[in-house]
Amino acid sequence: LRGFMLTARPEYLNVHDRAVAQLPDVLARLDGLIGKDAELEPRLARVQVLYRERMILMDNTIALTRTGRIGEAVSLIRSGRGKVLMDQMRLELTAIDAVEARRLTERTRQSERASAVTVSVNALAAVLILILAGISTWLVRRYVEEIEGAHLELDRVNAGLEDQVRDRTAELTRANEEIQ
């Protein structure tokens, strides 16, 4: 803008024109990010009002320069109104950034707490699994011991029955010999 004011050559406005053309999209994206946030919406509305005032001031300065009224254009710049508007916009945008940074910090803390809870729950679950595995091992071992005990008892009973059968067979064989 300064180059245009000093020379009145339109090519010095190219950078300005490109930047001004992008501003509505930037504000629309910012509006989309903020949405209906009760805390940030008034700040964005204030930025948009300040932006429109600043654009009017810049357009007036450019129009005055184009019509050769450089002195009036310089007076507008020297009034400091443009700097005041920009400073106010920066304050609002800094406040928006601060709110978002605070929220991000809170979400990070919540995420860290949730992560710690998840780790704790997983550790507790691992301990419970180990306890259940120990109990299962103990129960299986006890069951195997009972089966082995029952097997030994069955072997003892079978041995006793075999002895009885042998004794009875011997008795019958003797009785048969006596009869003959």
Side-chain angles (χ1 to χ4, degrees):
L1 187 60
R2 288 185 200 132
F4 174 70
M5 288 183 61
L6 292 172
T7 65
R9 291 174 54 188
E11 60 267 16
Y12 283 98
L13 288 178
N14 289 341
V15 172
H16 165 77
D17 292 341
R18 282 194 304 270
V20 168
Q22 293 175 357
L23 285 174
D25 290 339
V26 170
L27 286 173
R29 275 190 309 206
L30 186 57
D31 188 37
L33 291 172
I34 289 176
K36 296 295 179 192
D37 188 308
E39 186 177 5
L40 297 180
E41 201 172 23
R43 291 192 178 280
L44 179 60
R46 179 80 176 128
V47 167
Q48 290 171 337
V49 167
L50 293 167
Y51 156 73
R52 284 191 289 279
E53 285 182 43
R54 179 70 171 126
M55 293 310 301
I56 290 169
L57 182 64
M58 289 177 77
D59 289 344
N60 288 342
T61 304
I62 291 169
L64 288 170
T65 303
R66 281 189 175 135
T67 59
R69 299 185 320 198
I70 305 275
E72 291 177 56
V74 169
S75 292
L76 274 180
I77 292 173
R78 286 187 177 160
S79 73
R81 180 69 183 145
K83 182 178 180 336
V84 168
L85 291 170
M86 288 304 295
D87 289 345
Q88 289 174 343
M89 276 192 277
R90 283 187 194 98
L91 283 174
E92 292 298 333
L93 292 170
T94 299
I96 290 171
D97 278 345
V99 168
E100 287 301 319
R102 186 193 74 223
R103 289 176 179 174
L104 178 61
T105 301
E106 289 171 8
R107 285 190 296 266
T108 301
R109 282 189 194 129
Q110 288 174 347
S111 177
E112 288 170 352
R113 281 192 293 266
S115 178
V117 167
T118 300
V119 168
S120 298
V121 167
N122 286 341
L124 180 61
V127 168
L128 288 174
I129 288 171
L130 289 174
I131 289 171
L132 288 174
I135 290 171
S136 295
T137 302
W138 177 75
L139 287 172
V140 167
R141 189 172 194 164
R142 194 172 127 217
Y143 179 71
V144 167
E145 287 173 356
E146 287 176 5
I147 289 175
E148 286 176 353
H151 188 280
L152 290 174
E153 180 65 23
L154 186 59
D155 285 347
R156 190 183 59 74
V157 169
N158 279 342
L161 286 175
E162 286 177 7
D163 287 343
Q164 286 178 358
V165 167
R166 201 175 20 254
D167 291 345
R168 183 74 177 134
T169 302
E171 285 176 21
L172 288 174
T173 302
R174 251 183 275 130
N176 191 21
E177 288 175 0
E178 285 179 11
I179 294 175
Q180 288 182 358

